């Protein structure tokens, strides 16, 4: 009897050891799968994503950008060598970093019910001693403060809302026929330092945010099969889609990864899900980029001659020099002198009708920016829609090039240059990291279903072994 008990005990211990061995083997297999998914630098299996290294890679997008006069290879090269470096410096100068905006407007379409999750949703306004004195009073040459009071998270900062009408030669205060904003109503305007209010993740999500984009697309630029549309009818959808892609890239590139530790970084999973997995959205980004670039180059003569006078001679001279470098760069003029040919559009019997319809639709989109429930999202939405409306105004004015520049507002040019900079940043990210992100995400998408199925099969079995 004693020997029998000992045999049973020995068998039991042997079976227990085998069960533990099976469990650890299964666990090791799952860990190995997770390790395989993280073989690419700094991408975790469970979605917390940090910065990805940039490396040489074969590009997915080649040939002529649809409806443009420049190919992807040239656009990427010019952006890397010419536009991106100049624009990064240009938007930091006093003239281009202060934007005049109405942040408190009632939504003309529905009650505002937007909720923001983070304090980063709030916009930091500029106190009286920060933005250039000449922006308010044209003949006083006070210097901007070297120690700005305005910081993120302090939306209660006081603002002097009195604005000048003649601070710069040739800058007028007439409304843009392509946008809904009334720029002449100065009582409701305030200055915002764009450098202190970056476009990034704010926590603005849910039905309110989705309703904005649903209204933009479904009511103002619905997508139809491209073969059914002429170039004029494709124009607005492609511009808005390209702008949407750029906004999504900026949100994903500066994302709150961990709210507890206030850790920010690149959410590559979000970027892939919203933009990179859809080739059409990437193509539309390049289209919008070249479209806006054409608007900037078309106004080269006037932008060169304008007075970028903020009362800070050193910075103003720098802004003027950077504008000249950008507009008259020999590489740009030689490689892509005409990024987009606007002369082809609005021809034929339906031309005027299509143009008027597109203008009305874009004005509606501009008005929708007042319905954005997040202040910082509204700021960048208004700026970039105004920039795009300015590009439309420049390229499709009926009055000829000379008349166009005579009706440009200072705020329109600030919006136009900042928009081009945002598009340039997005194009740079797609060019440098897009293919690598796609490969990583596609590899993970193939791994996750297998790991999930394995875990579902193994876990009940493993649990039973340990009982």
């Amino acid at each position: 009897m004693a020997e029998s008990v000992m045999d049973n005990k020995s068998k039991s211990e042997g079976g227990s050891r085998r069960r533990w061995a099976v469990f650890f083997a299964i666990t090791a297999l799952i860990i190995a799968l997770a390790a395989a998914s993280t073989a690419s630098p700094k991408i975790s299996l469970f979605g917390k994503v940090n910065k990805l290294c940039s490396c040489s890679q074969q590009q997915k997008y080649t040939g002529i950008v649809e409806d443009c006069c420049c190919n992807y290879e040239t656009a990427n090269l010019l952006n890397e060598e010419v536009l991106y470096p100049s624009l990064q410096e240009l938007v930091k100068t006093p003239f281009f970093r202060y934007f005049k905006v109405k942040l408190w407007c009632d939504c003309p379409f529905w009650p505002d019910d937007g909720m923001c999750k983070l304090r980063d949703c709030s916009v930091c306004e500029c106190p009286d001693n920060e933005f250039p004195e000449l922006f308010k009073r044209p003949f006083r040459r006070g210097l901007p403060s070297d120690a700005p009071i305005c910081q993120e998270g302090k939306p209660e900062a006081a603002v002097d809302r009195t604005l000048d009408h003649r601070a710069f030669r040739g800058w007028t205060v007439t409304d843009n026929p392509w946008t809904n904003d009334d720029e002449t109503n100065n009582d409701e305007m305030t200055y915002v330092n764009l450098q202190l209010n970056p476009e990034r993740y704010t926590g603005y999500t849910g039905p309110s945010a989705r309703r904005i984009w649903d209204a933009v697309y479904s009511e103002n630029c619905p997508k139809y099969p491209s073969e059914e549309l002429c170039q004029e009818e494709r124009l607005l959808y492609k511009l808005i889609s390209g702008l949407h892609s750029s906004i999504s890239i900026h949100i994903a590139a500066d994302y709150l990864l961990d709210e507890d530790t206030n850790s920010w970084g690149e959410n590559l999973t979000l970027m892939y899900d919203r933009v990179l997995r859809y080739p059409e959205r990437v193509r539309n980004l390049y289209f919008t980029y070249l479209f806006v670039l054409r608007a900037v180059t078309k106004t080269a003569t006037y932008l060169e001659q304008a007075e970028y006078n903020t009362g800070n001679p050193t910075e103003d001279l720098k802004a003027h020099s950077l504008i000249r470098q950008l507009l008259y760069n020999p590489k740009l003029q030689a490689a892509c002198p005409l990024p987009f040919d606007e002369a082809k559009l609005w021809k034929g019997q339906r031309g005027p009708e299509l143009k008027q319809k597109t203008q009305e639709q874009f004005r509606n989109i501009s008005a929708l920016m007042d319905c954005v429930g997040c202040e910082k999202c509204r700021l960048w939405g208004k700026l970039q829609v105004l920039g795009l409306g300015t590009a439309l105004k420049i390229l499709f004015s009926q009055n000829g090039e000379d008349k166009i520049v005579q009706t440009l507002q200072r705020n329109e040019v600030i919006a136009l240059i900042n928009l081009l900079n945002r598009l340039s940043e997005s194009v740079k990210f797609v060019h440098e990291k897009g293919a690598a992100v796609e490969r990583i995400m596609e590899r993970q998408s193939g791994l996750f279903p297998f790991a999930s199925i394995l875990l579902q099969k193994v876990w009940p079995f493993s649990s039973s072994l340990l009982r």
Side-chain angles (χ1 to χ4, degrees):
M1 176 69 70
E3 291 180 0
S4 176
V5 170
M6 292 297 294
D7 288 343
N8 290 337
K9 182 177 180 181
S10 177
K11 290 178 182 178
S12 175
E13 290 175 351
S16 177
R17 284 194 294 269
R18 284 193 296 274
R19 287 194 293 271
W20 276 105
V22 171
F23 172 77
F24 284 123
I26 292 170
T27 303
L29 176 60
I30 294 175
I31 292 173
L33 289 172
S37 75
T38 56
S40 296
K42 303 187 179 180
I43 304 292
S44 75
L45 179 66
F46 300 105
K48 189 170 284 188
V49 185
N50 294 320
K51 291 194 174 182
L52 178 71
C53 67
S54 176
C55 54
S56 299
Q57 53 189 299
Q58 184 179 0
Q59 292 303 312
K60 180 176 181 179
Y61 300 95
T62 60
I64 296 293
V65 179
E66 185 184 28
D67 293 333
C68 292
C69 309
C70 191
N71 59 46
Y72 288 96
E73 296 85 349
T74 301
N76 287 322
L77 183 63
L78 289 174
N79 188 55
E80 179 182 357
E81 296 184 356
V82 180
L83 277 89
Y84 179 81
S86 295
L87 288 166
Q88 288 288 296
E89 291 298 313
L90 192 58
V91 297
K92 295 174 185 176
T93 62
F95 183 89
F96 287 102
R97 73 170 175 251
Y98 295 104
F99 181 62
K100 183 180 67 173
V101 62
K102 286 182 188 177
L103 290 175
W104 309 278
C105 295
D106 293 331
C107 173
F109 303 108
W110 58 73
D112 178 23
D113 57 358
M115 297 295 293
C116 290
K117 182 181 177 183
L118 307 175
R119 71 178 181 88
D120 300 272
C121 182
S122 299
V123 167
C124 166
E125 301 168 11
C126 298
D128 182 40
N129 68 337
E130 182 182 343
F131 60 90
E133 186 72 18
L134 289 181
F135 275 32
K136 301 179 294 177
R137 292 178 285 275
F139 302 113
R140 291 185 59 186
R141 296 186 173 270
L143 295 177
S145 171
D146 292 330
I149 297 172
C150 182
Q151 300 293 336
E152 274 195 71
K154 295 182 180 179
E156 69 276 8
V159 178
D160 186 330
R161 300 183 186 178
T162 59
L163 308 174
D164 87 277
H165 290 204
R166 299 178 56 192
F168 300 92
R169 181 182 61 182
W171 302 83
T172 62
V173 199
T174 57
D175 286 337
N176 186 333
W178 288 84
T179 61
N180 187 65
D181 272 345
D182 177 13
E183 293 293 328
T184 63
N185 188 349
N186 295 332
D187 292 339
E188 298 179 8
M189 310 294 283
T190 187
Y191 279 104
V192 173
N193 186 336
L194 299 174
Q195 295 297 305
L196 295 179
N197 294 278
E199 184 182 26
R200 68 197 306 193
Y201 172 76
T202 63
Y204 180 52
T205 58
S208 177
R210 286 195 299 270
R211 183 164 54 177
I212 299 294
W213 288 113
D214 287 345
V216 167
Y217 286 113
S218 63
E219 299 175 20
N220 296 286
C221 57
K223 179 184 177 184
Y224 301 102
S226 58
E227 61 271 12
E228 297 180 7
L229 300 177
C230 62
Q231 185 177 357
E232 290 87 345
E233 292 172 305
R234 294 195 301 266
L235 175 71
L236 186 56
Y237 175 83
K238 293 177 69 171
L239 289 174
I240 296 301
S241 172
L243 176 60
H244 193 179
S245 296
S246 181
I247 291 171
S248 296
I249 288 172
H250 281 97
I251 291 173
D254 200 359
Y255 196 86
L256 183 60
L257 300 175
D258 191 326
E259 191 169 354
D260 292 336
T261 60
N262 196 34
S263 174
W264 293 78
E266 295 171 350
N267 187 334
L268 301 182
T269 302
L270 180 67
M271 192 175 299
Y272 176 77
D273 289 341
R274 289 193 180 182
V275 180
L276 297 178
R277 70 185 297 178
Y278 303 100
E280 180 193 47
R281 297 180 184 180
V282 176
R283 290 194 290 266
N284 290 339
L285 167 65
Y286 276 85
F287 172 82
T288 306
Y289 168 69
L290 292 174
F291 182 91
V292 175
L293 176 59
R294 168 56 183 156
V296 171
T297 59
K298 187 172 183 177
T299 58
T301 301
Y302 184 79
L303 291 178
E304 178 197 7
Q305 296 175 355
E307 294 182 358
Y308 301 94
N309 189 357
T310 64
N312 186 330
T314 302
E315 289 293 323
D316 296 339
L317 184 62
K318 180 180 178 181
H320 193 196
S321 175
L322 288 169
I323 280 286
R324 284 182 53 82
Q325 292 176 31
L326 176 65
L327 297 173
Y328 297 109
N329 186 281
K331 291 182 180 179
L332 177 59
Q333 293 181 325
C336 192
L338 189 69
F340 176 84
D341 188 2
E342 69 278 4
K344 294 180 179 179
L345 274 66
W346 321 119
K347 304 296 183 183
Q349 187 174 358
R350 294 186 61 210
E353 175 191 348
L354 289 173
K355 182 177 178 181
Q356 182 178 1
K357 179 182 177 183
T358 302
Q359 190 176 76
E360 291 172 353
Q361 290 172 327
F362 192 83
R363 284 180 63 88
N364 287 339
I365 292 171
S366 174
L368 277 167
M369 295 303 101
D370 285 327
C371 301
V372 177
C374 159
E375 270 194 347
K376 190 169 291 183
C377 308
R378 189 183 310 140
L379 164 66
W380 284 101
K382 279 175 166 280
L383 180 143
Q384 292 179 93
V385 167
L386 176 59
L388 198 52
T390 303
L392 288 163
K393 171 181 171 179
I394 290 169
L395 296 182
F396 301 131
S397 171
Q398 295 178 339
N399 299 322
E401 185 173 348
D402 293 338
K403 296 292 185 182
I404 295 170
V405 296
Q406 291 178 15
T407 61
L408 285 179
Q409 303 172 43
R410 178 180 63 212
N411 219 38
E412 289 177 328
V413 174
I414 292 170
L416 180 67
I417 295 298
N418 274 278
L419 169 61
L420 183 58
N421 180 60
R422 306 309 281 174
L423 294 168
S424 169
E425 291 174 340
S426 297
V427 166
K428 182 176 185 289
F429 193 100
V430 170
H431 173 60
E432 293 183 350
K433 302 183 180 181
V437 173
E438 288 184 49
R439 286 196 298 270
I440 292 166
M441 293 300 120
E442 288 166 2
R443 188 183 308 144
Q444 288 191 1
S445 66
L447 170 67
F448 269 117
F450 174 70
S452 176
I453 292 171
L454 180 62
L455 190 60
Q456 291 174 19
K457 297 287 186 183
V458 165
W459 183 251
F461 176 64
S462 304
S463 299
S464 65
L465 289 176
L466 300 176
R467 289 172 186 165

